[in-house]
């Protein structure tokens, strides 16, 4: 049996599809930034510790804060994250990882999540205020 740990398309060399297990390995080694593109309400309910919230509607406006980093893009089920990686490939200068199954897949594996708002959940609002001044 062959186990596929990651998938990459020939059209977008910097975008890779990975299951939560592989994303977690990279996250544990601090090799990637976990970019949560859900709404603030969803983030408060549950999120991956240390993940950075930038709601999908603000990705293009705030791309300077993450485009130079290797990121794993996540949402609740994976649909918005797929659009944010493959539909907006110009946002990522380095590697962008689409996490298959979203945070639901992450939680189904029993991986760590926390609830509540933290500093990483409010940075996007501060950055947006700075841009609007």
């Amino acid at each position: 049996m062959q186990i596929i740990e990651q998938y990459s398309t020939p059209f977008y060399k910097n975008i890779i599809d990975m299951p939560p297990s592989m994303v977690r390995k990279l996250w544990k080694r601090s090799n990637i930034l976990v970019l949560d593109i859900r709404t603030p309400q969803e983030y408060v309910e549950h999120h991956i510790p240390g993940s950075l919230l930038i709601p999908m509607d603000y990705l293009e406006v705030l791309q300077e804060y993450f485009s130079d980093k290797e990121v794993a893009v996540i949402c609740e089920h994976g649909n918005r994250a797929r659009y944010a990686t493959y539909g907006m490939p110009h946002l990522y200068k380095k590697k962008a990882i689409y996490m298959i199954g979203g945070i639901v897949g992450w939680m189904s594996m029993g991986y760590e999540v926390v609830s509540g708002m933290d500093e990483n959940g409010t940075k996007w609002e501060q950055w947006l205020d700075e841009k609007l001044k």
Side-chain angles (χ1 to χ4, degrees):
M1 173 164 59
Q2 180 182 12
I3 297 175
I4 298 173
E5 293 182 343
Q6 66 183 34
Y7 169 78
S8 180
T9 171
F11 302 107
Y12 300 109
K13 300 284 188 198
N14 66 321
I15 299 173
I16 299 171
D17 293 7
M18 281 188 188
S21 57
M22 294 301 296
V23 172
R24 185 171 182 265
K25 284 180 185 177
L26 293 172
W27 170 73
K28 283 289 206 180
R29 294 182 198 142
S30 300
N31 289 348
I32 58 167
L33 167 69
V34 176
L35 182 61
D36 193 327
I37 63 165
R38 299 175 303 150
T39 65
Q41 294 81 6
E42 290 172 301
Y43 186 87
V44 166
E45 205 160 292
H46 53 269
H47 61 274
I48 297 170
S51 60
L52 176 65
L53 173 67
I54 300 182
M56 190 165 121
D57 293 341
Y58 301 100
L59 283 176
E60 286 204 69
V61 176
L62 300 174
Q63 70 182 3
E64 67 195 68
Y65 297 101
F66 63 84
S67 65
D68 62 336
K69 297 174 176 63
E70 290 189 5
V71 298
V73 184
I74 65 161
C75 66
E76 193 69 19
H77 298 280
N79 299 324
R80 288 173 281 181
R82 179 168 291 283
Y83 176 75
T85 52
Y86 288 97
M88 305 176 175
H90 60 284
L91 298 182
Y92 312 98
K93 293 177 188 160
K94 291 198 174 185
K95 183 169 37 177
I97 297 166
Y98 160 68
M99 188 170 83
I100 302 165
I103 198 164
V104 169
W106 177 278
M107 291 188 307
S108 71
M109 300 291 288
Y111 298 151
E112 46 281 272
V113 291
V114 293
S115 58
M117 187 55 76
D118 57 19
E119 183 183 342
N120 283 346
T122 59
K123 284 183 180 179
W124 71 276
E125 293 175 308
Q126 297 163 5
W127 295 332
L128 195 58
D129 286 344
E130 290 171 12
K131 288 187 103 31
L132 295 175
K133 288 183 181 178

